[in-house]
């Protein structure tokens, strides 16, 4: 089996060996419960406090504003349901966007069965939410805006500050899901007027099963889990100390240098893939795109098949094609930026990390063009053959 | 998610390609839904002598198209039409339930091709 080129880092990342090393003592040496009052408990409590401080600092928050959770989905549920139920007397209207993760969309859908109303803001053809559209959507019943910071599919990075100003003006709570952007694009809760921020560990080379929600001091929120007094009484349950220590270590290891390197690899990949005829890049270019995200559509071919052939060449990718979904509907994000069903069905997402090598990018650029060519030859769609493929190709 | 058999037919389809002077051609599906299948047949004395397909679609769609060709080649037209989508799916091993429609689509394309042939030969 040749070496795998792993280009699905938006799905999950390799845990950094340094993170694993930092976690190890917390399994069989410093295994105490952070709530216990003895020496073993104290060791765990100290590690918990240190980790909390590291993470708080990374987004310009206070330690007491970081609530550890089991990951992005829990943090999103906690933010949306927690605000909704704690602020019922203020209103029942939640605003979100048409390009959110399912953890937001399905939470909002469920809240609709509980008497809440949601508005989904449209986005432009690069996936940006407009502050003017937001302002128009706000009513006197609006309690919360939730917007994904860095989009998981097309990499669009929202202007949180501009959206935050609108929220501040209208006294609407502002939540962002920053799972994809955390440590990659700047989050400053004060500057961006954020009340709630979802972050997680396994997208940044930390372990799975741990994340956090930033909850600004004074924000009225109801916990999801009831039980002990953990996490400032906002999230009951014995803290996952090895996971939390690993999460903080991953944050410490994130560097500007890595971002610069990843950005270069991204742009090399984009440039190379766009040389294939009949290909488009989905999402914006440059600084407003997540440094590790690429997403393409290939005319006349179906995304799952591309992924299937790439996998045979030991390249891991992802698609927004209808075929990859149980409901056989293409990605809502790709449809929201105005792609046709055909374009969305022909999409391929390749996402990079600090562990991605130049060779892995080159492997994609070598293997992908013949795969697209082969699939187009298999395809009965005439327009592809006629318009996209040069003669004698 | 996919059986070894599906991957085999996806990776090395035996019947993929266009056919010149086909006696019958059938096309079903819609790129909107992610699957379009086209089947070409050559018929001699009521028997499918040769068959080819072109498919735009997922791994299961390509594998199912190839399997339809394999199952009906050499069969009399009426016998070929007796092959069911279930036969196609079970020959491919474990077809994921959400992909079962690929087998249905494959057999529909064949039926269209046979109808096309019959219409042409009536003239």
């Amino acid at each position: 089996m040749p070496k795998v080129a792993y280009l699905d880092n938006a799905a999950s990342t390799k845990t950094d060996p340094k993170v694993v090393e930092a976690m190890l003592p917390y399994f069989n040496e410093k295994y105490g419960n952070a709530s216990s009052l003895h020496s073993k408990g104290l060791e765990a409590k100290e590690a918990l406090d240190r980790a909390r401080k590291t993470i708080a600092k990374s987004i310009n928050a206070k330690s007491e504003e970081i609530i550890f959770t089991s990951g992005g989905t829990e943090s999103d549920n906690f933010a949306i349901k927690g605000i909704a139920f704690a602020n019922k007397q203020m209103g029942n209207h939640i605003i979100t966007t048409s390009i959110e993760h399912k953890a937001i969309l399905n939470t909002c859908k469920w809240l609709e069965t509980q008497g809440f109303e949601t508005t989904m803001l449209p986005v432009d053809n690069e996936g940006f939410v407009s502050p003017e559209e937001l302002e128009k959507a706000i009513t006197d019943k609006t309690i919360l805006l939730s917007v994904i910071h860095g989009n998981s599919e097309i990499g669009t990075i929202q202007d949180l500050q501009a959206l935050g100003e609108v929220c501040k003006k209208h006294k609407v709570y502002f939540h962002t899901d920053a799972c994809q952007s955390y440590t990659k694009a700047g989050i400053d809760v004060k500057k961006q007027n954020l009340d709630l921020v979802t972050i997680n560990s396994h997208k940044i080379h930390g372990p799975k099963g741990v994340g956090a929600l930033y909850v600004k001091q004074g924000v009225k929120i109801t916990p999801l889990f009831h039980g002990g007094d953990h996490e400032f009484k906002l999230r009951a349950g014995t803290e996952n100390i090895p996971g939390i220590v690993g999460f903080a270590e991953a944050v410490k290891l994130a560097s500007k240098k890595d971002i610069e390197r990843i950005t270069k690899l991204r742009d090399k990949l984009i440039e190379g893939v766009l040389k294939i005829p009949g290909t488009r890049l989905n999402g914006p270019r440059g600084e407003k795109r997540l440094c590790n995200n690429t997403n393409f559509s290939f005319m006349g071919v179906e995304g799952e098949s591309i992924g299937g052939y790439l996998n045979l060449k030991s390249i891991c990718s992802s698609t927004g094609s209808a075929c990859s979904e149980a409901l056989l509907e293409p990605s809502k994000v790709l449809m929201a930026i105005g792609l046709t069903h055909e374009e969305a069905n022909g999409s391929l997402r390749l996402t990079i990390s600090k562990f991605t090598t130049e060779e892995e990018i080159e492997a994609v650029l070598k293997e992908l063009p013949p795969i697209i060519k082969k699939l187009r030859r298999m395809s009965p769609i005439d327009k592809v053959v006629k318009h996209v493929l040069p003669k004698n190709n | 998610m996919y059986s070894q058999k599906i991957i085999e037919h996806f990776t090395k389809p035996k019947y993929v390609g266009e056919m010149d002077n086909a006696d019958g051609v059938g096309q079903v599906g819609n790129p909107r839904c992610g699957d379009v299948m086209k089947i070409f047949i050559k018929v001699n004395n009521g028997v499918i002598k040769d068959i080819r397909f072109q498919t735009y679609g997922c791994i299961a769609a390509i594998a199912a198209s190839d399997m339809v060709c394999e199952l009906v080649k050499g069969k009399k037209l009426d016998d070929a039409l007796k092959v069911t989508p279930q036969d196609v799916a079970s020959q491919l091993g474990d077809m994921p339930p959400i992909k079962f429609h690929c087998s249905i689509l494959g057999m529909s394309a064949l039926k269209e091709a046979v109808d096309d042939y019959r219409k042409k030969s009536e003239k």
Side-chain angles (χ1 to χ4, degrees):
Chain A
M1 185 88 178
K3 203 176 160 268
V4 168
Y6 184 75
L7 291 160
D8 199 13
N9 286 285
S12 196
T13 59
K14 170 180 165 176
T15 308
D16 192 314
K18 286 178 193 149
V19 166
V20 177
E21 205 180 305
M23 290 171 71
L24 285 176
Y26 294 90
F27 287 101
N28 49 17
E29 284 170 45
K30 306 176 181 181
Y31 46 78
N33 184 323
S35 302
S36 301
L37 295 174
H38 45 63
S39 59
K40 284 283 172 206
L42 200 64
E43 270 175 357
K45 179 76 168 61
E46 278 169 2
L48 178 63
D49 290 345
R50 273 198 304 275
R52 203 187 301 280
K53 209 168 160 185
T54 301
I55 287 166
K57 208 178 128 200
S58 72
I59 57 170
N60 195 20
K62 293 179 203 149
S63 275
E64 315 84 86
E65 295 174 319
I66 302 298
I67 313 299
F68 286 111
T69 67
S70 64
T73 293
E74 186 192 325
S75 293
D76 282 348
N77 271 268
F78 178 22
I80 308 284
K81 291 177 190 166
I83 290 293
F85 284 103
N87 297 278
K88 263 182 175 169
Q89 75 291 351
M90 305 294 290
N92 69 340
H93 182 225
I94 295 165
I95 301 176
T96 182
T97 81
S98 49
I99 57 164
E100 297 302 309
H101 188 273
K102 281 183 184 165
I104 298 290
L105 285 182
N106 288 334
T107 299
C108 287
K109 233 185 240 174
W110 180 79
L111 279 174
E112 284 175 2
T113 70
Q114 305 297 308
F116 292 90
E117 281 169 20
T118 54
T119 298
M120 273 168 41
L121 295 175
V123 293
D124 68 13
N125 59 11
E126 289 187 328
F128 292 103
V129 178
S130 121
E132 291 78 37
E133 293 275 354
L134 166 64
E135 193 147 26
K136 271 191 261 166
I138 294 175
T139 71
D140 55 359
K141 291 265 168 59
T142 308
I143 48 175
L144 173 70
L145 167 71
S146 178
V147 176
I148 189 164
H149 184 206
N151 190 268
S152 51
E153 291 185 48
I154 54 170
T156 313
I157 301 174
Q158 303 297 338
D159 184 350
L160 293 182
Q161 200 173 333
L163 298 169
E165 274 162 23
V166 178
C167 290
K168 194 175 181 177
K169 183 175 153 197
H170 293 274
K171 295 199 171 84
V172 169
Y173 284 130
F174 184 21
H175 168 249
T176 190
D177 175 345
C179 286
Q180 297 287 345
S181 61
Y182 183 44
T183 71
K184 296 184 190 82
I187 298 164
D188 181 322
V189 295
K190 293 201 178 73
K191 214 165 118 190
Q192 293 160 333
N193 188 47
L194 286 155
D195 296 297
L196 306 126
V197 181
T198 291
I199 52 177
N200 82 351
S201 152
H202 79 102
K203 310 278 193 200
I204 62 163
H205 306 288
K208 292 174 180 61
V210 59
L213 183 69
Y214 156 78
V215 182
K216 189 181 178 177
Q217 240 169 11
V219 165
K220 241 180 117 187
I221 189 164
T222 302
L224 285 184
F225 296 0
H226 299 90
D229 289 346
H230 315 86
E231 300 298 296
F232 317 105
K233 297 187 184 172
L234 285 177
R235 203 273 189 181
T238 300
E239 299 87 350
N240 170 8
I241 302 294
I244 290 168
V245 167
F247 184 12
E249 189 64 23
V251 173
K252 275 195 244 166
L253 289 169
S255 78
K256 269 214 173 87
K257 222 176 100 194
D258 283 336
I259 293 175
E260 281 163 19
R261 207 186 129 260
I262 294 168
T263 307
K264 273 190 193 141
L265 289 177
R266 176 197 72 182
D267 291 343
K268 179 179 176 164
L269 185 59
I270 290 177
E271 216 175 288
V273 172
L274 287 180
K275 283 185 184 148
I276 301 172
T279 303
R280 61 164 281 165
L281 177 73
N282 300 318
R285 283 190 186 238
E287 280 181 12
K288 287 184 173 179
R289 182 180 199 109
L290 284 173
C291 62
N292 70 331
N293 172 289
T294 70
N295 188 313
F296 307 95
S297 284
F298 302 92
M299 251 186 85
V301 277
E302 193 280 328
E304 196 204 73
S305 295
I306 307 171
Y309 279 124
L310 283 173
N311 190 43
L312 294 169
K313 299 286 180 189
S314 301
I315 296 167
C316 302
S317 65
S318 156
T319 177
S321 153
C323 281
S324 69
E325 282 287 323
L327 291 170
L328 299 175
E329 273 292 320
S331 147
K332 285 191 170 65
V333 175
L334 296 177
M335 299 306 287
I337 60 167
L339 262 61
T340 62
H341 279 73
E342 289 91 327
E343 286 167 330
N345 284 334
S347 71
L348 179 76
R349 182 186 72 174
L350 298 164
T351 44
I352 303 163
S353 85
K354 66 175 178 182
F355 291 121
T356 306
T357 61
E358 201 70 51
E359 289 73 44
E360 284 174 289
I361 300 296
E362 272 151 23
V364 174
L365 295 179
K366 179 172 160 260
E367 302 294 351
L368 190 56
I371 288 172
I372 300 299
K373 204 164 160 182
K374 181 176 178 175
L375 284 166
R376 279 184 178 151
R377 285 189 182 285
M378 275 194 201
S379 171
I381 305 174
D382 287 345
K383 66 179 178 195
V384 175
V385 183
K386 279 186 191 145
H387 299 298
V388 177
L389 296 180
K391 274 181 191 145
N392 306 321
N393 190 353
Chain B
M1 169 177 182
Y2 288 121
S3 69
Q4 197 52 44
K5 194 100 189 197
I6 291 180
I7 295 296
E8 262 170 46
H9 281 270
F10 166 66
T11 326
K12 292 182 181 128
K14 283 187 221 150
Y15 298 94
V16 70
E18 264 181 299
M19 187 190 279
D20 292 332
N21 309 317
D23 296 322
V25 182
Q27 180 169 325
V28 294
N30 184 331
R32 219 186 129 88
C33 322
D35 297 297
V36 182
M37 290 183 191
K38 193 171 185 177
I39 286 186
F40 307 83
I41 51 171
K42 259 242 184 307
V43 183
N44 200 340
N45 289 329
V47 172
I48 298 176
K49 282 287 171 199
D50 201 6
I51 183 161
R52 288 281 175 275
F53 78 88
Q54 285 189 307
T55 290
Y56 159 88
C58 64
I59 296 173
I62 291 171
S65 310
D66 201 47
M67 184 52 85
V68 167
C69 295
E70 187 162 302
L71 289 178
V72 305
K73 193 184 170 184
K75 278 200 164 75
K76 282 186 184 158
L77 291 176
D78 284 335
D79 293 337
L81 292 176
K82 278 180 199 149
V83 172
T84 64
Q86 188 54 56
D87 297 332
V88 177
S90 49
Q91 283 297 316
L92 284 170
D94 289 326
M95 185 70 123
I98 63 158
K99 300 285 185 174
F100 187 73
H101 70 279
C102 295
S103 310
I104 299 175
L105 215 56
M107 285 311 297
S108 309
L110 176 76
K111 192 176 174 298
E112 292 284 320
V114 171
D115 287 351
D116 181 51
Y117 161 74
R118 284 181 168 157
K119 233 182 273 166
K120 279 179 187 162
S121 48
E122 271 168 23
K123 280 179 190 165

